[in-house]
């Protein structure tokens, strides 16, 4: 295949012209020069490919370091830190939901859509009437309501665990487990997306585009989306578990 790409058709015609059989040593200067040129082209091409792949791998490795660091922090976090992280996730998710349904100039909020989405992510939280309120007011009031229910659930589960003689901070353990699982699943999907991106940007080199810059820019966007996806999935899954009937001891 490489001979076809780098001038194999010309070499084949030359061999036919000189009537060189397949088992005859190639000694003609013209043939030797042609082979040298093809060999050099192949080596240059592979050198460039190796360089590009190395820079692709560097970008992915930086993302891997960031994810593994976050995962390590979660894995060894004490219960209080886990709860603080989940409260932060709750607040960020509320803000994202409201922002997604707010006009670019911030003048109007689709409160019906906001209420629908909040109900999906935070079942059991009484949102109330959001009509006529601006984005900041909605975000603040809903975050307060979410935090109130979250704290109540935590205290309720703690009391049940204590009464049953089970270890304390059950909500923290559930949150930790769910967050780690959603992170692992999202990272696995991300690796496939990065592989697809690599294949896509390599094809763009024929358009005269700097594929390394393209790869880094789009990889950054994918990674930002990955972090959001992990948080959304963790919040959604945890609150579904909180809404489910609790098993009795």
């Amino acid at each position: 295949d490489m001979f076809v790409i780098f001038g194999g058709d010309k070499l084949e015609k030359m061999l036919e012209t000189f009537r060189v059989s397949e088992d005859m040593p190639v000694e003609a200067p013209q043939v030797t020069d042609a082979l040298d040129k093809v060999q050099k082209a192949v080596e240059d091409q592979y050198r460039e490919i190796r360089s590009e792949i190395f820079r692709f791998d560097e970008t992915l490795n930086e993302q891997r370091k960031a994810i593994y660091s976050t995962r390590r922090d979660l894995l060894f976090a004490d219960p209080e830190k886990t709860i603080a992280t989940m409260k932060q996730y709750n607040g960020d998710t509320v803000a994202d939901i409201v922002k997604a349904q707010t006009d670019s100039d911030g003048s109007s909020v689709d409160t019906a859509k906001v209420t629908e989405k909040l109900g999906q992510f935070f079942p059991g939280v009484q949102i109330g009437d959001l009509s006529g309120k601006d984005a900041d007011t909605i975000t603040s009031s809903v975050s307060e309501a979410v935090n109130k229910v979250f704290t109540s659930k935590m205290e309720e589960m703690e009391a049940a665990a204590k009464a049953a003689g089970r270890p304390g901070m059950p909500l923290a353990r559930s949150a930790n487990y769910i967050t780690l699982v959603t992170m692992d699943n999202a990272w696995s999907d991300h690796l496939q997306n990065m592989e697809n991106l690599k294949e896509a940007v390599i094809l763009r080199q024929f358009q005269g585009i700097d594929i390394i810059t393209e790869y880094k820019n789009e990889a950054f966007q994918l990674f930002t989306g990955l972090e959001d996806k992990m948080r959304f999935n963790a919040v959604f899954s945890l609150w579904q578990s909180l809404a489910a009937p609790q098993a009795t001891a």
Side-chain angles (χ1 to χ4, degrees):
D1 292 341
M2 297 304 291
F3 276 92
V4 173
I5 296 173
F6 297 105
D9 54 339
K10 296 179 181 179
L11 180 60
E12 183 178 358
K13 290 179 182 178
M14 185 179 296
L15 292 175
E16 291 176 356
T17 300
F18 289 114
R19 297 181 181 180
V20 178
S21 63
E22 293 182 359
D23 59 348
M24 182 181 294
V26 181
E27 298 175 350
Q30 297 94 328
V31 177
T32 302
D33 289 343
L35 286 172
D36 288 343
K37 289 179 181 178
V38 171
Q39 178 66 25
K40 187 177 185 305
V42 171
E43 291 176 353
D44 290 343
Q45 177 70 3
Y46 271 114
R47 187 180 300 110
E48 182 178 351
I49 291 174
R50 285 195 299 270
S51 176
E52 290 171 351
I53 291 176
F54 176 73
R55 283 181 283 180
F56 287 156
D57 290 344
E58 276 187 324
T59 299
L60 181 58
N61 192 47
E62 289 301 316
Q63 295 184 355
R64 182 180 287 106
K65 288 179 180 178
I67 286 295
Y68 284 9
S69 176
T70 300
R71 193 184 192 285
R72 188 165 49 251
D73 290 343
L74 287 169
L75 186 62
F76 296 107
D78 57 45
E80 289 76 13
K81 185 175 181 179
T82 298
I83 292 298
T85 298
M86 284 310 306
K87 286 184 176 182
Q88 182 65 49
Y89 281 5
N90 290 338
D92 290 344
T93 301
V94 169
D96 284 345
I97 290 173
V98 176
K99 182 179 179 181
Q101 304 303 330
T102 303
D103 287 347
S104 57
D105 60 0
S107 61
S108 177
V109 181
D110 188 337
T111 55
K113 286 285 184 63
V114 169
T115 301
E116 178 185 353
K117 280 294 182 182
L118 289 172
Q120 294 172 2
F121 276 85
F122 303 103
V125 176
Q126 298 300 316
I127 305 301
D129 185 11
L130 304 178
S131 302
K133 297 179 180 179
D134 60 32
D136 289 341
T137 301
I138 292 174
T139 300
S140 177
S141 62
V142 172
S143 294
E144 183 177 347
V146 166
N147 188 57
K148 183 177 180 180
V149 172
F150 187 80
T151 301
S152 175
K153 285 286 185 180
M154 180 174 64
E155 294 172 348
E156 176 185 323
M157 292 174 67
E158 182 69 19
K162 184 177 181 180
R166 296 193 298 266
M169 302 296 285
L171 179 53
R173 292 198 306 278
S174 295
N176 188 271
Y177 173 77
I178 288 173
T179 303
L180 288 171
V181 170
T182 56
M183 175 178 288
D184 291 344
N185 290 338
W187 176 245
S188 179
D189 292 340
H190 179 72
L191 290 176
Q192 183 58 56
N193 292 336
M194 290 290 285
E195 185 63 27
N196 295 339
L197 173 61
K198 183 194 299 184
E199 295 177 1
V201 297
I202 286 177
L203 295 176
R204 299 176 199 172
Q205 64 184 332
F206 301 109
Q207 303 173 1
I209 296 175
D210 182 351
I211 62 173
I212 300 301
T213 300
E214 285 279 300
Y215 180 80
K216 288 183 177 180
N217 290 341
E218 296 191 29
F220 175 76
Q221 294 174 10
L222 284 177
F223 189 69
T224 301
L226 167 69
E227 293 178 312
D228 291 340
K229 179 181 179 181
M230 291 188 302
R231 170 168 54 82
F232 287 141
N233 289 348
V235 169
F236 181 84
S237 298
L238 179 62
W239 279 84
Q240 298 306 307
S241 72
L242 294 179
Q246 300 296 316
T248 57

